[in-house]
């Protein structure tokens, strides 16, 4: 029996020691040295990607970037627990999840470069593209889960959202619907302590995990910087959903070590001491310690991991910079699935306008932009 | 694979095991409400991915009985009585569409669509564009709309212009039983999201219904030809407009009445041809005038047919007030006399 | 110490016996025979008003009526617990609350007759007019409470809503805000088992009272047909709010014995046996039993109560039928607090139109309406 | 009476105890963002019932820093960092207004107003009408709007037409620092609810600001007189329109540029007088064309000035698409060239 009480579940201490826990351990029995090393490798790579993307933004190659620094365990642990046919409805910060899903690095940054409103075809990776309206995607996940239920398959929907999102009506309505229909959906809340400048205390005076049970949804409160606990909790939730147990809520307690986005300046609202404190709880650090004690970390492993990360960063950079700009007339594409007379007329008018301008216009445009 | 849980809405109310109705197979006289019901039934028979979501649509059959008997016929997995939350009704429909379903959402009354507005405007309307066509949103949102039924606040509104201003949506309004039947089927079959407006004061009006898909939902229809004035209407006011045309005929004015049917996109081919012929345009709707569909159409027609216009186009619409209490709605709603007054104005008679 | 556990609180049994309960009893010590008789009288009168209004609707004098039959104890008990300076944000069914507040009977039905969108000036009775958009008023109550908090007064906002309403985002957001700011607001949910045709099980798989604690709001689950428990719970909640204890949630478990509104037909969805069962829990019946055992019920009391009720019904009927129709041009009044040029032009045009028509128009109008 | 609880948002971030800024007392050059900040400060000093609500408006000063330093000056009881929920921001403002407060809500970006749409349309806009004037809603809703900043989805929208179609609301859009300062004060002082749109790509543009209430927010302003064409703009496009007029002047066309300022109601006195003079009208806005404010204005002007029109009025607007990705926004947004193209069209040059 799983203990669904609101105690924080930690299976890996800050010091890198494995903390045994009878109800969770069976779910992570397979996480031996090599398996943990694989998770570690993921975490190193996504952190490197994150740094590279931030650098690309600073260099003007991306318009914006929402760093996940500090949340690697929460994202990698949960994403690696999923089955291929499970479907992910993320917010905008789940770049590590997208990486696990096999989304091309260039496709991850496409939306932040401003080339498209989304970077990939959700159906090829079973993961929706970033959702910007806070909380809206939790309803989409619930609806998808209702579909899976009706299809008599045991695929599960998982949705990611933040601590701030829990205040939005949509997230609460999603819990109402999920509970009412016992939908196979996992609510995965990364409580990174901040919603832009607002500490989690503005959103909730109790632990976020305490909310779901009142809706009839069991919840787990886990150390989100502990990849083993995250893996266990996600597997438990997925299993419940697959076997008709309905929705589960997971609060992964973590920390946004960077700014909200590259446009943000946390020094305006955040005490540096807080960040320093959380640095000691770094998710990579403690896994590294465990792996070291397991003898998995060797100079070769370190080198290979770094090389992997560097290769990913290089791939990202090259792909980002090499991305062709969209064609002007593509602004009209895909508004509708079927032709729309009013829009087609606007397209034709604009095409005519561009043509009439010709080269002269192009240079005028360029001048204005310069 | 696990056995599926029973959705919460499975009802054990007596009378639910009635014999299964046979779908419409020949021409019949039906009320508009019943025609929608038949259209929904046919759509559900045609495509197992069609599911209905809404408040009270199950055992009750909806407050207007438009979904009557569908729960009994198709079960609670396809006719889903949802909790009372419009944003979630639309938002879960998005998720169902994501998985290949064709959800049909019922909004109980026009004024209750606004809690779901964000999901409609920011999600339903934008997903296809956002994903460059990868994700389709074949969602139909049924909205009983308009006044004239002496109802309480929020029960008589005409919110269509909010949606015609929203790129990515299609918007239609039906005016009679045949269209109600044909267009609900077309809306559901459409790969684009469709707002389907049902003029509630015409629910009980009967008409002949042929069980066919009929004329495309994108096309406007000339319901009465004429030569002096073009009169555009949709929803409940189509009947009023036709009555006005009859009355005007007695006074020697020939009015061409057009039922727009599609509010977004508007079928300007039909509208322009008519205005080029008549040179005079009156548009009528129940919604408030400022920002209503009338202004949009007049601006577009003026742009495209300027030299054909004999006089300034005129709007006969609801006033720029929140929908008034029942005892005042007859002042607010365009009626035959106010339409004729508008006709007089474009004819230069006032 | 109040026990905020989710046990159903009942202080008056179906048989009319007073059930002692240490934590609640002190709050209703003053409810002696005469005080209980006063509550009983209220309940009889509002039931009579309800019946009369239903009759008026059947006779075409009202467009619609939302009966409160069965919910008298929940409404009277809570309304009578309020102070004059507390402010009420009701839904559309709180006609007994309005009665307690001293709203004129004619004003109560004005909105249902279609003469106006609301029947009274909220400030004269400290009670907002009916809210039709489900759940919206819970946010207004929370905002009002934030105002009271800022004014350093100990007035409390109370908001009424149904079981169905708890599914709406707004109600959940109201709980988030109320908890975050510790606003002096009481959430009073009348769980009458139905939201039109939907049983409460569609909205929630757990007791509704279980929801609030997860938001950090203590809740009480009470027998809503027990006027003594309702009084006690409301007083407890008000006292918490007044003394800086923040919001409280009350689930009053009751039953809608009539149709949703006069436009509804419950036989389409409701088992008659359920109604029969709930009839045994009638709130008036059990209070009558208690009062009888207390010797408060005499033939004179019965007669006086009936007379009071009949007088109220007669007043309602006369006031309803005698209500003058609004003037046509009043359709333009009060859209704005300050003049609006576009609207004034529409008013002038319409006034001109009406004048141009003159008597001819009036009769045409009448013909069409007939 | 009990001591009051401390609201959850009291922050102890360092740097919050800065010296209190002195309100604007003489003409100064300010950015538009700073001008709004000064206007808010003055309004809060003038009236203790003015409170601010929004996400991140406290320690951060809002994502655009428009509320910078106000928390430090007025404290957390008046500058309220709210939980992340727009419906609740508006809905609690309604309750505060009910109690006599004058709430100013900040919506972080245009595209995030929709979760609060129901409270705006069904509550804020209707309360005064509903209660026959008993309950006033002096709520100001500040909305940074429009594109041109290379932002992500939902961060560049122009939703103003949804509100100009909503009876009971006033809608204004500012275009410069002086108006930003004056009109935020007027909006807050208004007994009607006001949607106050701030063109975010002009936040950093500087201008002279006189600390006065200035011209009424209901009035349109001729920002450049002309005789050939009337060009209507608001928000960010006022600058573009003026630039276009300058460019056209070199080509011999005299354009009268009007900054509408008030979008509901539109100041038709000024607009009509101009069109009667020029006989030609171009309206420009970033919002999608169909159902946008341009259509409404053209319909009204056509109705009222038909015989003065030399040619069909023209719209130069965003297309009927969801706001496109950053790399395409320069195609979507009306710019100098597209406006001049529109001018050419009303001049019959194309
Ligand atoms: C409906 C809506 N309102 C406001 C915003 C602006 N916004 C973007 S992110 C954010 C904070 C989100 O915080 P949280 O949910 O904790 O997620 P995190 O960013 O910490 O991952 C806000 C307010 C938005 N995107 N959508
Ligand atoms: C936003 C919104 N959606 C739908 C409705 C239609 N409606 C009116 S009452 C009602 C049921 C309300 O049930 P509940 O909250 O339990 O209150 P009760 O009527 O039982 O008192 C519904 C769905 C509405 N008024 N507002
Ligand atoms: Mg967060
Ligand atoms: Mg109920």
């Amino acid at each position: 029996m799983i203990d669904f009480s609101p105690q924080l579940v930690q299976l890996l201490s800050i010091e890198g020691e494995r903390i045994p826990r009878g109800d969770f351990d069976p779910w992570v029995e397979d996480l031996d040295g090599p398996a943990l090393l694989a998770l570690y490798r993921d975490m190193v790579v996504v952190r490197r990607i994150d740094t590279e993307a931030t650098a690309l933004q600073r260099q003007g190659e991306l318009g914006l970037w929402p760093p996940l620094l500090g949340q690697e365990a929460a994202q990698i642990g949960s994403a690696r627990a999923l089955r291929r046919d499970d479907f992910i409805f993320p917010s905008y910060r789940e770049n590590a999840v997208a990486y696990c899903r096999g989304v091309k690095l260039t496709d991850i940054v496409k939306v932040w470069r401003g080339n498209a409103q989304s970077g990939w075809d959700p159906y090829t990776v079973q993961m929706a593209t970033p959702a910007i309206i806070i909380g809206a995607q939790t309803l989409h996940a619930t609806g998808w889960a209702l579909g899976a239920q009706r299809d008599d398959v045991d695929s599960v929907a998982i949705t990611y959202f933040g601590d701030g999102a829990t205040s939005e009506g949509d997230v609460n309505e999603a819990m109402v619907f999920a509970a009412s229909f016992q939908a196979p959906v996992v609510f995965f809340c990364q409580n990174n302590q901040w919603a832009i400048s607002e500490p989690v205390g503005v959103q909730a005076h109790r632990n976020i995990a305490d909310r779901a049970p009142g809706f009839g949804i069991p919840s787990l409160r886990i150390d989100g910087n502990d990849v083993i606990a995250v893996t266990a909790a996600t597997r438990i939730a997925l299993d419940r959903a697959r076997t008709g147990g309905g929705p589960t809520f997971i609060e992964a307690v973590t920390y946004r070590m960077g700014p909200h986005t590259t446009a943000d300046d946390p020094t305006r609202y955040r005490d540096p001491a807080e960040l320093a404190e959380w640095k000691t709880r770094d998710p990579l650090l403690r896994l590294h310690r465990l792996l070291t004690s397991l003898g998995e970390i060797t100079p070769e492993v370190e080198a290979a991991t770094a090389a992997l990360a560097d290769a990913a960063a290089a791939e990202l950079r090259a792909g980002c910079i090499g991305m062709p700009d969209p064609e002007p007339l593509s602004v009209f594409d895909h508004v509708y699935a079927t032709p729309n007379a009013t829009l087609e007329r606007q397209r034709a008018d604009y095409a005519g306008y561009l043509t009439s301008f010709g080269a002269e216009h192009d240079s005028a445009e360029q001048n204005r932009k310069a | 694979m696990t056995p599926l849980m029973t959705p919460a809405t499975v009802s054990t109310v007596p009378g639910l095991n009635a014999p299964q109705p046979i779908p419409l197979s020949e021409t019949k006289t039906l009320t508009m409400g019943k025609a929608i019901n038949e259209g929904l039934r046919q759509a559900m028979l045609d495509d197992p991915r069609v599911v209905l979501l809404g408040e009270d649509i199950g055992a009750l059959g909806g407050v207007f009985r438009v979904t009557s008997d569908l729960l009994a016929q198709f079960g609670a997995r396809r006719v889903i009585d949802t909790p009372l939350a419009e944003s979630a009704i639309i938002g879960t429909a998005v998720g169902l569409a994501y998985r290949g379903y064709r959800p049909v959402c019922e909004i109980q009354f026009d004024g209750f669509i606004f809690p779901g507005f964000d999901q409609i405007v920011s999600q339903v309307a934008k997903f296809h564009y956002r994903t460059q066509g990868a994700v389709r949103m074949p969602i139909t949102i049924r909205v009983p709309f308009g006044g004239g039924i002496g109802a309480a606040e929020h029960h008589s509104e005409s919110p269509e212009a909010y949606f015609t201003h929203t790129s990515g949506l299609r918007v239609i309004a039906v005016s009679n039983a045949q269209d109600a039947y044909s267009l609900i089927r077309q809306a559901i079959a459409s790969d684009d999201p469709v707002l389907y407006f049902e003029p509630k004061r015409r629910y009980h009006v009967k008409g002949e219904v042929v069980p066919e898909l009929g004329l495309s939902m994108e096309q406007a229809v000339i319901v009465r030809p004429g030569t002096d004035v073009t009169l555009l209407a949709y929803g409940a006011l189509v009947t009023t407009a036709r009555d006005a045309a009859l009355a005007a005929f007695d006074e020697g004015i020939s009015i061409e009445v057009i039922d727009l049917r599609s509010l977004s996109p508007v079928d300007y081919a039909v509208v322009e041809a008519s205005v080029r012929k008549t040179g005079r345009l009156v548009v009528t709707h129940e919604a408030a005038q400022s920002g209503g569909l009338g202004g949009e159409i007049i601006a577009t027609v003026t742009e495209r047919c300027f030299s054909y216009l004999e006089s300034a186009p005129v709007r006969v619409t609801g006033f720029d007030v929140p929908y008034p209490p029942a005892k005042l709605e007859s002042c607010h709603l365009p009626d035959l006399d106010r339409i004729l007054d508008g006709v007089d104005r474009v004819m230069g008679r006032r």
Side-chain angles (χ1 to χ4, degrees), chain A, chain B:
Chain A
M1 274 299 290
I2 307 292
D3 179 3
F4 282 104
S5 70
Q7 298 300 319
L8 187 81
V9 176
Q10 197 184 55
L11 303 183
L12 176 60
S13 77
I14 291 174
E15 295 72 31
E17 275 155 20
R18 184 67 174 76
I19 305 168
R21 206 186 128 130
D23 50 353
F24 277 68
D25 287 346
W27 293 93
V28 284
E29 263 177 356
D30 60 322
L31 289 194
D32 55 9
L36 287 168
L37 183 59
L39 291 173
Y40 177 73
R41 218 181 278 124
D42 282 344
M43 288 162 66
V44 170
V45 171
V46 298
R47 180 168 288 189
R48 184 71 183 82
I49 292 170
D50 197 63
T51 315
E52 192 68 18
T54 297
L56 283 164
Q57 194 281 334
R58 299 290 177 229
Q59 292 153 17
E61 295 295 340
L62 294 180
L64 191 80
W65 178 252
L68 58 74
L69 188 70
Q71 302 177 215
E72 295 86 352
Q75 294 192 19
I76 295 292
S78 55
R80 287 297 183 207
L82 301 176
R83 241 173 38 191
R84 200 67 213 164
D85 58 319
D86 297 331
F87 208 103
I88 302 161
F89 290 88
S91 82
Y92 41 81
R93 205 183 291 285
E94 281 67 63
N95 298 306
V97 177
Y99 168 79
C100 292
R101 221 50 186 173
V103 178
K104 280 196 299 184
L105 300 182
T106 317
D107 287 348
I108 290 178
V109 295
K110 198 181 219 173
V111 64
W112 306 113
R113 192 170 162 87
N115 280 51
Q117 295 298 33
S118 69
W120 63 86
D121 178 343
Y123 296 116
T124 61
V125 289
Q126 297 284 97
M127 175 171 176
T129 53
I132 298 212
I133 300 293
I134 301 292
Q137 76 278 12
T138 59
L139 284 168
H140 309 161
T142 304
W144 191 95
L146 292 180
Q149 191 181 54
R150 273 149 190 73
D151 291 340
D152 288 321
V153 298
D154 68 349
S155 312
V156 177
I158 182 169
T159 178
Y160 290 85
F161 53 99
D163 44 300
T166 61
S167 294
E168 287 281 8
D170 273 8
V171 176
N172 294 278
E173 292 188 7
M175 288 199 270
V176 169
F177 271 54
S180 185
F181 300 112
Q182 290 293 295
V185 55
V186 177
F187 293 98
F188 195 96
C189 178
Q190 290 175 80
N191 174 3
N192 64 5
Q193 311 302 321
W194 292 90
I196 309 187
S197 74
E198 300 190 345
V200 63
V202 172
Q203 319 290 340
H205 277 197
R206 293 199 39 183
N207 288 335
I208 283 176
D210 294 347
R211 181 92 59 90
F215 289 87
I217 300 178
S219 75
L220 294 166
R221 185 158 188 268
I222 57 171
D223 183 338
N225 286 4
D226 164 358
V227 75
I228 305 178
V230 173
T231 304
T234 312
R235 287 175 172 181
I236 289 167
L238 291 168
D239 185 66
R240 286 192 74 247
R242 279 193 225 297
T243 55
T248 307
F249 189 102
I250 297 172
E251 177 192 358
V253 180
T254 179
Y255 193 73
R256 192 195 81 206
M257 291 170 73
H260 171 67
T261 65
T262 46
D264 181 39
D265 173 12
T267 65
R268 285 181 71 96
Y269 54 81
R270 201 153 84 166
D271 189 337
E274 188 184 280
L275 176 58
E277 166 71 22
W278 276 92
K279 276 199 173 149
T280 66
R281 303 180 202 157
D282 188 304
L284 272 71
L285 208 58
R286 68 174 88 170
L287 186 53
H288 190 268
R289 287 182 181 136
L290 175 63
L291 286 168
T292 306
S293 72
L294 291 178
E296 292 288 339
I297 299 286
T298 62
E300 296 75 46
V301 164
E302 298 266 34
T305 307
L308 204 64
D310 287 341
E315 180 192 330
L316 172 66
R317 171 168 292 270
C320 175
I321 294 174
M323 215 181 289
D325 280 359
E327 286 300 317
L329 283 178
S330 72
V331 75
F332 296 100
D333 290 347
H334 304 300
V335 181
Y336 297 93
T338 48
N340 180 297
T342 299
L343 189 61
E344 288 317 315
R345 186 169 171 133
Q346 291 183 8
R347 182 204 294 266
D349 284 352
Y350 188 61
Y353 165 82
L354 288 183
T355 316
S356 78
F357 253 64
E360 185 196 337
H361 173 73
D362 285 352
S363 65
E365 271 272 290
Q366 243 119 53
N367 285 342
R368 262 200 313 288
K369 273 178 192 154
Chain B
M1 299 281 170
T2 56
L4 268 221
M5 38 254 109
T6 319
T9 43
V10 170
S11 177
T12 50
V13 169
L16 277 190
N17 299 319
Q20 303 231 337
I22 304 146
L24 199 66
S25 60
E26 53 187 32
T27 306
K28 260 200 183 165
T29 302
L30 302 175
T31 63
M32 193 191 78
K34 179 68 179 152
I36 304 172
N37 177 267
E38 287 295 343
L40 288 169
R41 184 189 323 281
Q42 190 58 53
M44 294 185 80
L45 288 170
D46 288 349
D47 185 348
R49 309 297 280 177
V50 176
V51 292
L52 314 188
L53 294 98
E55 297 156 8
D56 305 295
I57 65 169
L60 183 63
V63 295
F64 295 108
R65 310 292 184 263
V66 169
T67 56
S68 269
D69 304 323
L70 297 176
L71 172 65
Q73 184 166 1
F74 297 102
R77 292 176 74 159
R78 295 187 66 195
V79 179
I80 309 175
D81 249 337
T82 67
L84 209 178
E86 287 75 12
S87 190
I89 291 172
I90 309 292
T92 52
V94 167
L96 281 158
Y98 231 106
R99 228 194 124 77
Y101 281 85
R102 293 189 172 268
V104 183
C105 303
E106 173 173 309
I107 297 295
Q108 201 161 77
F109 278 87
D110 32 62
F112 309 149
I113 200 165
F114 300 116
F117 199 71
D118 176 60
Q119 285 285 346
I120 297 175
V121 164
S122 295
Q123 307 300 337
V124 174
K126 293 191 171 57
F127 249 113
H128 195 261
Y129 193 71
R130 176 182 301 150
T131 61
Q132 292 139 82
V135 181
R136 293 194 164 176
M137 286 289 134
I139 297 176
T140 300
I141 302 177
R142 293 183 35 238
V143 190
F145 87 125
I149 60 162
E153 209 186 350
H154 311 289
H155 288 73
S156 302
E157 301 180 7
S158 295
E160 64 276 9
Y162 295 114
F163 304 101
T164 56
H165 183 49
T166 304
S167 307
L169 301 177
R170 293 183 181 274
V171 183
I172 60 181
V174 296
S175 68
N176 60 69
Q178 178 64 62
D179 274 359
Y181 172 85
S182 301
L183 298 202
I184 191 67
R185 290 182 57 193
Q186 290 185 38
I188 294 170
S190 167
D191 280 338
D192 287 313
V194 180
L195 272 284
Y196 176 95
F197 284 98
E198 309 170 1
K200 58 179 101 73
R201 63 173 143 144
R202 304 286 181 226
Y203 270 133
H204 300 292
V205 178
K206 289 187 176 172
E208 293 244 301
V209 178
V210 185
E212 281 167 15
L213 274 183
L215 192 70
S216 161
M217 67 178 186
E218 300 203 358
Q219 286 180 266
V221 159
I222 298 174
V223 292
R224 183 188 159 92
T227 53
D228 297 330
V229 175
T230 299
L231 172 57
L232 304 183
Y234 55 91
L237 290 182
V238 172
T239 305
T240 318
R242 202 167 24 200
D243 291 347
L246 269 174
F249 189 71
D250 295 340
E251 297 177 32
I253 304 175
S254 166
I255 300 179
E256 179 146 299
V257 179
I258 295 177
D259 180 354
L260 284 175
R261 298 167 88 246
S262 178
L263 311 187
S264 180
V266 168
D267 181 358
Y268 281 111
V270 167
V271 172
E272 285 177 51
S274 178
V275 174
R276 291 212 171 86
K277 178 173 66 180
T278 62
R280 295 184 190 86
L281 174 63
V282 174
V283 190
T284 185
H285 54 64
E286 298 186 12
Q289 177 161 309
S290 289
L293 190 59
E296 174 59 35
I297 294 177
I298 288 174
T300 303
V301 168
T302 302
E303 202 174 322
R304 301 193 189 171
C305 309
F306 187 67
S307 60
Y308 294 87
L309 287 176
E310 308 268 355
S311 63
V314 158
R315 288 177 277 183
V316 180
T317 68
F319 304 119
D320 287 0
V321 305
Y323 200 86
K327 295 248 172 179
L328 285 172
E329 69 178 340
S330 67
C331 304
H332 179 68
L333 290 174
D335 59 12
L336 188 143
D337 291 321
R338 276 181 61 206
I339 290 176
L340 290 179
D341 179 63
V343 168
D344 282 349
R345 279 189 281 150
V346 285
M347 292 295 290
R349 296 195 176 188
R350 275 195 64 201

